[in-house]
């Protein structure tokens, strides 16, 4: 099988490495990739937002399966165009990808499926903003305001704050840019990312993971696209994970089938485990980043065969997934000033070899690997338990040199110290 992975992040680097471990995968290609993926796959330039260009590339190189990593091409319908060209594609249709592309659509699906989620209100008129802020923040009985961009914003459109002025300023700037604002009730409790390979109403969960969205230790500073992750979650009972699958993911998958837009691909449930049980923070239509880097490090089952089965209507016939015992931790190395406008173009040293997954990297004409984006690398450690996995990840990241870079030092620490309970 020849698999083409579309995207350029550490998530795609992790997908490529896991695909290469599948004995039925003989060739892996990536488009457009980065300096790290070039060492593990045939690399091609492509405009990932153009379904025609991706389908033409897949046809030209003889790909049997296309795996679309990021949400933007999926929301634009790239998977539909690839399938229309007769090539199997792992990724939902444009219609089904609205589960991530439109928060209003996702809320409607969840309401119809009877799934617990934050109450919410869309504000598209600045004149209604102040009254809505009073209903959704501390005056309305919630611990904080949750203000989201209704469309895609790479994780950075979300502000969670107990400061009304900050909440108002974020909402006003979104409205000024013509983006409807979603105000949500604050969901208290530890967060879980549960990835499920889905085809119609067939749902195959992967290991649950936890993501760290704030830039600084102790969950300080602004939201980012994700600064680290670990898996599995020692504090999450197996029956809670099973309940998330049965009472949240399966009903949502069934609701999408009944609406005539069945989901096929990776359905990502982002949840908070509240005192009333798990509640959905968001659904995404693709593998999460950086959780994928940790989750796939423990996957022993052949990934190419799993994704191909989902893409070709054979998911229900797949054997149970096999996982390596132990834990995995991914720590993101970010460029100076990220999540603001990142400093780029600096030479990175020590980023070759096992456990280092590239994202915002490029190779200069002189051969040096330089930073080219905000999240530069994900460093993955695997061990027999969370402490060993953390040690491995932090030892490795400590050997990498990138001027001005930063990373969180507490990925997985609260879980390792038994400070998370549900
Ligand atoms: N880890 C957050 C995301 O992938 O959206």
């Amino acid at each position: 099988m020849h698999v083409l992975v579309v995207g350029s992040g550490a998530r795609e680097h992790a997908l490529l490495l896991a695909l290469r471990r599948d004995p039925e995968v003989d060739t892996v290609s990536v488009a457009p990739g980065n300096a790290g993926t070039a060492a593990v796959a045939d690399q091609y330039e492509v405009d990932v937002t153009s379904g025609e260009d991706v389908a033409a590339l897949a046809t030209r190189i003889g790909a049997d399966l296309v795996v679309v990593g990021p949400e933007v091409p999926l929301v634009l319908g790239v998977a539909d165009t690839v399938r229309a060209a007769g090539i199997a594609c792992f990724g939902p249709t444009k219609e089904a990808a609205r589960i991530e592309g439109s928060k209003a659509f996702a809320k409607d699906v969840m309401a119809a499926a009877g799934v617990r989620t934050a109450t919410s209100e869309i504000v598209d008129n600045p004149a209604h903003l102040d009254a809505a802020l009073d209903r959704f923040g501390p005056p309305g009985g919630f611990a904080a305001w949750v203000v989201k961009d209704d469309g895609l914003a790479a994780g950075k459109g979300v502000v969670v704050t107990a400061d009304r002025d900050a909440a108002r300023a974020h909402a006003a700037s979104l409205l000024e840019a013509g983006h409807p604002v979603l105000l949500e009730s604050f969901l208290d409790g530890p967060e879980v990312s549960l990835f499920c390979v889905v085809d119609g109403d067939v749902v195959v969960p992967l290991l649950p993971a936890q993501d760290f969205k704030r830039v600084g230790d102790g969950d300080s500073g602004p939201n980012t696209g994700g600064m680290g992750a670990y898996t599995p979650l020692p504090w999450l009972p197996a029956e809670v994970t099973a309940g998330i699958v049965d009472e949240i993911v399966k009903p949502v998958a069934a609701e999408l089938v009944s609406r005539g837009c069945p989901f096929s691909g990776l359905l990502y449930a982002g949840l908070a485990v509240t005192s009333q049980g798990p509640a959905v923070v968001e659904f995404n239509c693709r593998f999460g980043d950086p959780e994928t880097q940790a989750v796939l490090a423990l996957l022993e089952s052949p990934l190419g065969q799993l994704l191909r089965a989902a893409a070709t209507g054979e998911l229900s016939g797949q054997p149970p997934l096999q996982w390596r015992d132990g834990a995995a931790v991914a720590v993101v190395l970010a460029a100076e000033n990220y999540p603001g406008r990142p400093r780029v173009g600096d030479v990175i040293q020590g980023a070759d070899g096992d456990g280092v997954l590239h994202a915002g990297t490029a190779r200069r004409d002189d051969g040096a690997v330089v930073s080219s984006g905000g999240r530069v690398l994900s460093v993955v450690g695997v061990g027999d338990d969370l402490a060993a996995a953390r040690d491995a990840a932090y030892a490795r990241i400590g050997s990498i040199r990138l001027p001005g870079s930063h990373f969180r030092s507490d990925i997985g620490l609260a879980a390792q110290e038994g400070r998370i309970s549900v």
Side-chain angles (χ1 to χ4, degrees), residues 211 225 268 284 286 288-291:
D211 178 24
Y268 163 153
N284 293 322
R286 37 81 199 175
D289 188 336
E291 299 97 309

Coordinates of all heavy atoms in Angstrom, one line a residue, residues 211 225 268 284 286 288-291, ligand 1:
D211 N -4.3 17.0 26.8 CA -3.6 18.0 26.1 C -3.4 19.2 27.0 O -4.2 19.4 27.9 CB -4.6 18.4 24.9 CG -4.1 19.5 24.0 OD1 -2.9 19.7 24.0 OD2 -5.0 20.1 23.4
G225 N -2.1 26.2 20.2 CA -2.6 25.0 19.5 C -2.3 23.7 20.3 O -2.6 22.6 19.8
Y268 N -12.7 13.4 17.0 CA -12.0 13.7 18.2 C -12.9 14.4 19.1 O -13.5 15.4 18.8 CB -10.8 14.7 17.7 CG -10.1 15.6 18.7 CD1 -8.8 15.9 18.4 CD2 -10.6 16.1 19.9 CE1 -8.1 16.8 19.2 CE2 -9.9 16.9 20.7 CZ -8.7 17.3 20.4 OH -8.0 18.1 21.2
N284 N -13.6 17.6 17.0 CA -12.8 18.0 15.9 C -12.9 16.8 14.9 O -13.2 15.7 15.2 CB -11.3 18.2 16.3 CG -11.2 19.4 17.2 OD1 -11.8 20.4 17.0 ND2 -10.4 19.3 18.2
R286 N -10.5 15.5 12.9 CA -9.1 15.0 12.5 C -8.4 14.7 13.8 O -8.8 15.0 14.9 CB -8.4 16.1 11.7 CG -8.7 17.5 12.2 CD -7.9 17.9 13.3 NE -8.4 19.1 14.0 CZ -7.8 19.6 15.1 NH1 -6.8 19.0 15.7 NH2 -8.3 20.6 15.8
G288 N -5.8 15.0 16.7 CA -5.4 16.2 17.4 C -3.9 16.3 17.5 O -3.1 15.3 17.4
D289 N -3.4 17.5 17.7 CA -2.0 17.7 17.7 C -1.8 18.6 19.0 O -2.4 19.6 19.1 CB -1.6 18.5 16.5 CG -0.1 18.7 16.3 OD1 0.6 18.7 17.4 OD2 0.4 18.9 15.2
P290 N -1.0 18.1 20.0 CA 0.0 17.1 20.0 C -0.4 15.7 20.5 O 0.5 14.9 20.7 CB 1.1 17.7 20.9 CG 0.3 18.5 21.9 CD -0.9 19.0 21.2
E291 N -1.6 15.5 20.8 CA -2.0 14.2 21.4 C -1.6 13.0 20.5 O -1.2 11.9 21.0 CB -3.5 14.1 21.7 CG -4.0 15.1 22.7 CD -4.6 16.3 21.9 OE1 -4.0 16.9 21.0 OE2 -5.8 16.6 22.2
Ligands
LIG1 N1 -4.8 19.4 20.7 C1 -5.8 20.3 20.2 C2 -6.2 20.1 18.8 O1 -5.6 19.3 18.1 O2 -7.1 20.8 18.4

